Amino acid sequence: MVFPSSSSSSLTLFSLALLICSSVFSSASTKIGNGYRLTSIEETPDGGFIGHLMVNKKSNTYGPDIPHLQIFIKHETDTRLRVHITDAENPRWEVPYNLLPREQPPLLKTSIGAKSRKISSWGVSEVSGTELIFSYRADPFGFAVKRRSNGDVLFNSSADGGDPFGDLVFKDQYLEISTKLPKEASIYGLGENTQPSGIKLQPNDPYTLYTTDVSAINLNTDLYGSHPVYMDLRNVGGVAYAHAVLLLNSNGMDVFYRGSSLTYKVIGGVFDFYFFSGPTPLSVVDQYTQFVGRPAPMPYWALGFHQCRWGYHNLSVVEDVVENYRKAQIPLDVMWTDDDHMDAKKDFTLSPVNFPLPNTTAFLAKLHSRGMKYIVLIDPGIAVNNSYGTYQRGMASDVFIKYDGEPYLAQVWPGAVYFPDFLNPKTVAWWKDEIARFRELVPVDGLWIDMNEPSNFCSGKCQIPKDRPCPDKGPRWICCLDCKNLTNTKWDDPPYKINASGQQVPLGFKTIATSAVHYNGILEYNAHSLYGFSQAIATQKALQELLQKRPFVLSRSTFVGSGHYAAHWTGDNQGTWENLRYSISTMLNFGIFGVPMVGADICGFYPQPTEELCNRWIEVGAFYPFSRDHANFASPRQELYVWDSVAKSARNALGMRYKLLPYLYTLNYEAHTTGAPVARPLFFTFTNFTKSYGLSTQFLLGDSVMVSPVLKPGKSEIKALFPPGTWYSLFDMTQGIVSKEGHYFTLDAPLNAVNVHVYQNTILPMQQGGMTSAEARLTPYNLVVTFPAGVAEAEAKGKLFLDEDELTEMKLGNGYSTYINFYASVSNNTAKIWSEVQEGKFALSKGWIVGKVTVLGLSGKGNALSINVDGEPVSDVSKVEFNASEQKHLEKLEGGDRRKSMLIEVGGLELPIGKNFAMTWKMGIMG
């Protein structure tokens, strides 16, 4: 949360940022250095190659060149290639190997032995792998990575005379490297930023990576996270190929994407590139998360709806919110409080006046008895207060970031604070102890770590004023410490200025001074963007050890690998139609980053949305992977029950979400095991459908459920793009759309309705819904089977993962999980649906059943039903009912007749989820 600046001031800031960015970009083509030459290369015992580079001619722009570099190349897997370039003589900062585990490159000054290859000028050679080939030019040095299967060049750093970029530059505080790109490539990633043009990166937009407390309303600006990875999607000869490139570097950087090239300008560290061969978007994310860490498994309740507000000033207000959701019959799983529960904004405390402990614990007991949960906020800044136990114990354990040997002083909500150093093992132990102490008083179910870029209301080196109180009676976000700017070190004032905050502000602006020091002498200059990541690791591990349950952590600041530990929300947005639209692109980007549990503040953080906008926002937000309404204290109340029309939309949209929880939870399992995003761009499923490559107004859940929302005011219909095939409305399964080649269709979209469609050849596991996920989970299942409309022969499939959802691990084989593959076919006028169960004991112990099967797209009615369970025929089918309805289809006529098809419901079933079943019936002729 930040001070709720007005929209007009935000636009002024944005306009200023655009002017600065234009100036920055115009100078991006200036060629800085003179390149390097490769002098030798040899194979290493582990199957890699190590080479040495010498600078060709020194330059002094941004400091002297490092004369001697070491390059290490290794095909780490069949689909992953690493290229690591560093100073050959002196160790340099890298992302700590204990934070992001990976192979260590060879030690520096590796001797060149008899097997080394002397390099002649302009020689070109290759290091081949299974999927990727590394090739290099010796002088001036440049390297390329190409795909073995089709020879497509994925990355090429060699500069030619006509290129707008130069050769490799490697200085202490300035590193530069570029790659050529085909103009037809679609590029995604390089975040976190709010992209007004949608998910696809646009040439000449600024892309700066440096974690910053700048609200999400600021466009094309470095925000809370740093993810220096991009996905490149190309259509080569009508076939789509995707790959990804990660530059594992935590230092601040500008990335200049020109359409035909991309240039990195980094202010420290090393070049540590990882190339992931794909070739599909899903396989790219699989390979990426295999390296950076699989997404954290989520407890089942986390997929329910969450309610929060900064400004629930006392416990009775929170209690009223919970009861009002019940009265309005709107599902709610998790109640949150911002810093309102705290005593004077101090972490791990309760206000004795507004949240008295006995009342709060009684409230939690009531929530828990209903199957609901409670989550509170924690900021990293620890109040400097000698009577505050957390501070006292932190000082005694020496856990804070230092400046000139003393804890670095900053200001956040409590006033003067020190920042814990989560790179220090002692800090991690202290943090766990503080969480344990708090949970002994207040048994919260998860933790929300905010302001962890980290945010500071002051800049520079500060002292607590002696002549006035701090904080005083003014706004807490106004700096009241006595501070002086720091520009006397090369860390506080580096030679190259990245476009920080979209304005080229100093690196230490409103955060920790970059010359401050972490554990083992690590500079904030290098570790800044890792702060939220390191805090998320410490918080997740502490909760898991303390709860002995699957933890839930929500973090604002993220880095490469954060999804392995935490969920994310997109930060401080506005209650505007534009921000509703932006939220989809940011959500989809985080799926690519390996952070699939993501969502935006529904209805906007500030100011208050209009009633119409809040209707439309819950119709989108109900299908965010992380679905939470959150608002600012300065805005009027906007809970979903405040407006009758919004309550109606919420009951409709969240009602569908809660029916889809089995599907969403299975997607959660897929994300944890393969990295697959829960919410995905359409091109993840329809990779050859080029019309979808820039589409940012619709999205998929999994590979087959498509959400097509209203994103503009005053609209009661929308134009939605439907990839080729048959799609069925989940809200009215008698309605379908047949899109032969892939078209836009105009759909009705009245105020309280959202268009959600399921694709053909799918078996979608659903339940009946409820007011909580725990309640919904007890209801019978409905399997929705979709065939292409009216087709005579087809197949469909689906899957379902079930487990004891608060176990720390999410996997098969522990005795507390079940996995089912569902199959269906239609052929020879016969429909068949069957299941194949793995480890059915857990599901059987819960008594879960399939109560209904709904089949869409059949060409005839059903009769002569037969069912067997575990190979034994079910003789009594007297309770089973067939119902048939003719379906209606929107269709682009392309020389064919309109399809005729049926919706067939087989109800009254009692098929145990944990046993293999099969059911078949003959189809009669449709009348």
Side-chain angles (χ1 to χ4, degrees):
M1 54 190 176
V2 294
F3 168 59
S5 58
S6 69
S7 58
S8 59
S9 64
S10 298
L11 288 173
T12 302
L13 177 65
F14 174 56
S15 300
L16 176 61
L18 279 181
L19 289 173
I20 294 172
C21 291
S22 298
S23 172
V24 170
F25 202 91
S26 66
S27 64
S29 299
T30 305
K31 297 183 180 181
I32 305 301
N34 299 294
Y36 287 77
R37 64 186 182 278
L38 185 67
T39 58
S40 60
I41 190 167
E42 69 173 331
E43 191 168 359
T44 60
D46 63 355
F49 287 81
I50 192 166
H52 289 262
L53 304 169
M54 298 298 295
V55 70
N56 277 328
K57 181 181 178 183
K58 293 183 179 180
S59 70
N60 289 317
T61 306
Y62 304 138
D65 299 278
I66 292 176
H68 182 194
L69 303 180
Q70 177 172 291
I71 181 170
F72 175 64
I73 308 107
K74 186 179 180 184
H75 292 276
E76 294 188 335
T77 71
D78 287 348
T79 58
R80 183 173 80 228
L81 169 67
R82 184 184 191 183
V83 178
H84 180 277
I85 304 175
T86 187
D87 185 340
E89 299 179 11
N90 299 291
R92 289 182 61 81
W93 165 257
E94 299 188 43
V95 174
Y97 283 77
N98 63 324
L99 282 188
L100 195 68
R102 58 203 190 276
E103 290 185 39
Q104 294 265 11
L107 297 175
L108 300 180
K109 298 183 180 178
T110 300
S111 61
I112 302 298
K115 293 182 180 179
S116 66
R117 200 184 314 169
K118 294 297 180 182
I119 306 300
S120 59
S121 296
W122 300 99
V124 177
S125 192
E126 294 183 345
V127 177
S128 295
T130 305
E131 299 291 340
L132 297 173
I133 298 172
F134 174 90
S135 63
Y136 57 86
R137 184 177 71 181
D139 189 8
F141 174 75
F143 72 88
V145 178
K146 64 182 178 181
R147 192 183 298 281
R148 175 180 283 279
S149 62
N150 63 1
D152 195 21
V153 177
L154 310 184
F155 193 95
N156 183 2
S157 74
S158 295
D160 300 320
D163 289 323
F165 56 85
D167 293 308
L168 172 69
V169 180
F170 204 115
K171 301 166 184 285
D172 184 31
Q173 290 184 269
Y174 182 81
L175 285 64
E176 181 183 316
I177 196 169
S178 303
T179 178
K180 296 178 172 69
L181 291 171
K183 289 187 177 180
E184 63 272 16
S186 296
I187 309 295
Y188 311 90
L190 296 178
E192 173 181 15
N193 61 37
T194 299
Q195 297 167 200
S197 299
I199 187 174
K200 185 176 174 180
L201 300 191
Q202 298 299 309
N204 303 330
D205 277 353
Y207 299 99
T208 298
L209 284 77
Y210 189 74
T211 61
T212 308
D213 179 7
V214 171
S215 68
I217 68 173
N218 294 281
L219 309 181
N220 292 324
T221 302
D222 50 312
L223 300 179
Y224 313 106
S226 175
H227 295 271
V229 59
Y230 69 84
M231 179 185 289
D232 181 332
L233 178 62
R234 307 177 188 180
N235 203 282
V236 182
V239 179
Y241 293 87
H243 69 275
V245 179
L246 166 67
L247 172 55
L248 186 55
N249 183 301
S250 63
N251 291 86
M253 68 181 78
D254 290 328
V255 185
F256 295 94
Y257 171 51
R258 303 178 182 87
S260 60
S261 66
L262 185 147
T263 297
Y264 299 88
K265 293 173 176 276
V266 194
I267 60 171
V270 301
F271 285 129
D272 196 2
F273 281 105
Y274 292 83
F275 300 89
F276 306 91
S277 66
T280 66
L282 274 176
S283 59
V284 164
V285 179
D286 185 359
Q287 294 153 16
Y288 180 69
T289 57
Q290 184 182 32
F291 172 63
V292 304
R294 297 297 196 194
M298 294 293 145
Y300 204 88
W301 55 261
L303 296 171
F305 181 68
H306 304 242
Q307 177 61 49
C308 186
R309 176 180 173 82
W310 182 23
Y312 288 145
H313 294 304
N314 59 53
L315 181 62
S316 63
V317 175
V318 178
E319 292 173 319
D320 285 346
V321 171
V322 174
E323 294 309 315
N324 284 331
Y325 268 94
R326 283 174 68 87
K327 290 175 185 176
Q329 289 293 287
I330 299 171
L332 177 64
D333 259 82
V334 190
M335 196 64 207
W336 297 56
T337 51
D338 205 298
D339 64 7
D340 304 290
H341 65 278
M342 298 179 184
D343 179 20
K345 313 296 183 186
K346 301 193 299 289
D347 285 346
F348 307 117
T349 64
L350 278 183
S351 166
V353 175
N354 297 323
F355 285 78
L357 180 60
N359 305 52
T360 301
T361 53
F363 167 66
L364 262 66
K366 186 176 181 180
L367 275 188
H368 290 155
S369 71
R370 295 177 178 177
M372 299 173 69
K373 306 296 180 182
Y374 179 55
I375 293 176
V376 298
L377 172 139
I378 301 176
D379 288 335
I382 301 300
V384 178
N385 184 325
N386 288 325
S387 64
Y388 173 34
T390 297
Y391 168 79
Q392 294 170 343
R393 290 183 290 272
M395 289 297 290
S397 297
D398 192 22
V399 301
F400 299 114
I401 292 171
K402 300 289 184 59
Y403 194 96
D404 286 342
E406 299 293 330
Y408 177 77
L409 186 70
Q411 179 187 329
V412 200
W413 300 113
V417 300
Y418 294 153
F419 287 117
D421 175 11
F422 293 101
L423 300 181
N424 186 338
K426 289 193 299 184
T427 307
V428 174
W430 161 83
W431 188 249
K432 176 186 171 184
D433 181 60
E434 294 305 318
I435 294 172
R437 290 170 182 269
F438 182 63
R439 285 201 76 261
E440 286 177 7
L441 298 175
V442 188
V444 296
D445 301 286
L447 290 173
W448 170 19
I449 52 177
D450 191 12
M451 308 289 284
N452 54 349
E453 292 69 38
S455 178
N456 179 4
F457 298 155
C458 302
S459 302
K461 185 177 181 181
C462 303
Q463 294 180 327
I464 297 175
K466 297 178 180 178
D467 58 347
R468 64 184 190 281
C470 179
D472 52 24
K473 294 181 180 179
R476 284 179 177 262
W477 52 82
I478 302 299
C479 182
C480 60
L481 299 175
D482 287 336
C483 304
K484 64 177 182 179
N485 289 332
L486 293 170
T487 58
N488 58 335
T489 76
K490 65 178 184 178
W491 314 117
D492 296 300
D493 188 23
Y496 176 77
K497 308 296 189 286
I498 64 169
N499 193 27
S501 301
Q503 303 174 77
Q504 289 187 282
V505 299
L507 293 177
F509 180 72
K510 296 300 180 71
T511 188
I512 297 173
T514 46
S515 51
V517 178
H518 292 253
Y519 176 71
N520 265 356
I522 294 171
L523 283 167
E524 170 70 8
Y525 180 88
N526 293 316
H528 171 82
S529 289
L530 298 174
Y531 193 92
F533 178 45
S534 62
Q535 186 192 19
I537 295 172
T539 307
Q540 189 264 2
K541 290 184 175 179
L543 274 181
Q544 183 162 303
E545 290 175 18
L546 293 168
L547 293 170
Q548 291 298 298
K549 292 181 180 179
R550 193 173 301 171
F552 179 85
V553 178
L554 182 74
S555 179
R556 190 169 75 176
S557 186
T558 58
F559 185 71
V560 173
S562 282
H564 189 57
Y565 303 95
H568 174 65
W569 92 107
T570 64
D572 296 349
N573 58 3
Q574 281 185 310
T576 66
W577 292 93
E578 291 80 9
N579 278 257
L580 169 59
R581 180 166 52 85
Y582 303 153
S583 74
I584 295 176
S585 296
T586 306
M587 170 183 69
L588 297 179
N589 260 327
F590 269 87
I592 293 173
F593 297 151
V595 190
M597 189 63 169
V598 60
D601 285 348
I602 293 170
C603 296
F605 183 61
Y606 67 89
Q608 184 186 35
T610 64
E611 182 176 350
E612 181 190 9
L613 174 58
C614 204
N615 271 281
R616 295 309 192 186
W617 208 316
I618 186 55
E619 291 169 3
V620 180
F623 302 100
Y624 293 152
F626 172 62
S627 182
R628 185 184 71 161
D629 181 302
H630 180 42
N632 182 287
F633 71 89
S635 301
R637 297 286 286 272
Q638 64 180 47
E639 290 82 8
L640 300 181
Y641 54 76
V642 169
W643 292 289
D644 288 343
S645 71
V646 176
K648 183 177 179 181
S649 292
R651 284 190 291 269
N652 188 44
L654 287 173
M656 180 57 71
R657 180 189 182 90
Y658 275 64
K659 291 176 183 176
L660 287 170
L661 284 176
Y663 179 66
L664 292 173
Y665 192 67
T666 303
L667 293 178
N668 177 28
Y669 174 70
E670 283 188 20
H672 178 57
T673 53
T674 71
V678 175
R680 308 171 190 175
L682 269 63
F683 66 74
F684 264 64
T685 296
F686 304 96
T687 52
N688 287 321
F689 186 48
T690 56
K691 288 181 183 178
S692 71
Y693 285 9
L695 187 66
S696 305
T697 53
Q698 298 166 245
F699 58 93
L700 292 172
L701 294 174
D703 58 8
S704 56
V705 173
M706 183 168 70
V707 182
S708 305
V710 173
L711 301 174
K712 294 181 180 179
K715 301 293 183 182
S716 58
E717 61 181 30
I718 60 164
K719 286 188 176 180
L721 181 62
F722 283 80
T726 303
W727 297 82
Y728 298 98
S729 169
L730 275 182
F731 285 96
D732 181 357
M733 296 183 194
T734 66
Q735 303 295 316
I737 286 176
V738 178
S739 180
K740 287 186 178 178
E741 302 295 333
H743 293 287
Y744 279 92
F745 287 79
T746 300
L747 308 178
D748 289 335
L751 184 63
N752 301 119
V754 59
N755 281 280
V756 181
H757 291 81
V758 59
Y759 191 53
Q760 65 186 34
N761 309 121
T762 298
I763 301 178
L764 189 64
M766 299 178 69
Q767 285 178 284
Q768 309 306 304
M771 290 299 100
T772 64
S773 61
E775 179 184 315
R777 207 174 188 200
L778 299 176
T779 62
Y781 282 80
N782 174 23
L783 300 182
V784 178
V785 183
T786 63
F787 293 120
V791 75
E793 292 195 9
E795 296 179 344
K797 60 183 179 180
K799 49 208 166 191
L800 177 62
F801 176 81
L802 303 163
D803 73 348
E804 196 65 67
D805 69 292
E806 293 197 355
L807 289 176
T808 55
E809 291 187 301
M810 188 183 212
K811 65 179 184 179
L812 289 170
N814 57 10
Y816 295 95
S817 55
T818 296
Y819 191 87
I820 305 109
N821 284 298
F822 297 109
Y823 301 94
S825 67
V826 56
S827 180
N828 298 324
N829 221 30
T830 300
K832 181 180 180 182
I833 300 161
W834 69 100
S835 69
E836 294 179 359
V837 179
Q838 298 179 52
E839 303 179 31
K841 181 179 177 181
F842 170 72
L844 289 173
S845 73
K846 296 294 185 181
W848 289 318
I849 63 166
V850 175
K852 183 170 68 172
V853 172
T854 305
V855 186
L856 312 179
L858 293 180
S859 59
K861 301 176 183 178
N863 56 62
L865 176 72
S866 67
I867 302 175
N868 69 59
V869 175
D870 273 356
E872 297 294 325
V874 176
S875 55
D876 182 7
V877 292
S878 59
K879 294 181 181 179
V880 177
E881 297 179 349
F882 265 106
N883 290 299
S885 305
E886 186 171 347
Q887 295 180 294
K888 298 178 181 179
H889 299 284
L890 281 174
E891 187 168 11
K892 293 283 186 182
L893 291 178
E894 295 165 334
D897 294 330
R898 288 186 177 274
R899 310 291 179 90
K900 292 184 179 181
S901 66
M902 301 294 293
L903 178 154
I904 306 293
E905 284 188 344
V906 186
L909 300 170
E910 293 184 356
L911 303 174
I913 282 280
K915 291 185 177 181
N916 294 333
F917 69 81
M919 54 191 299
T920 61
W921 68 85
K922 292 288 185 181
M923 290 187 296
I925 304 300
M926 189 167 69

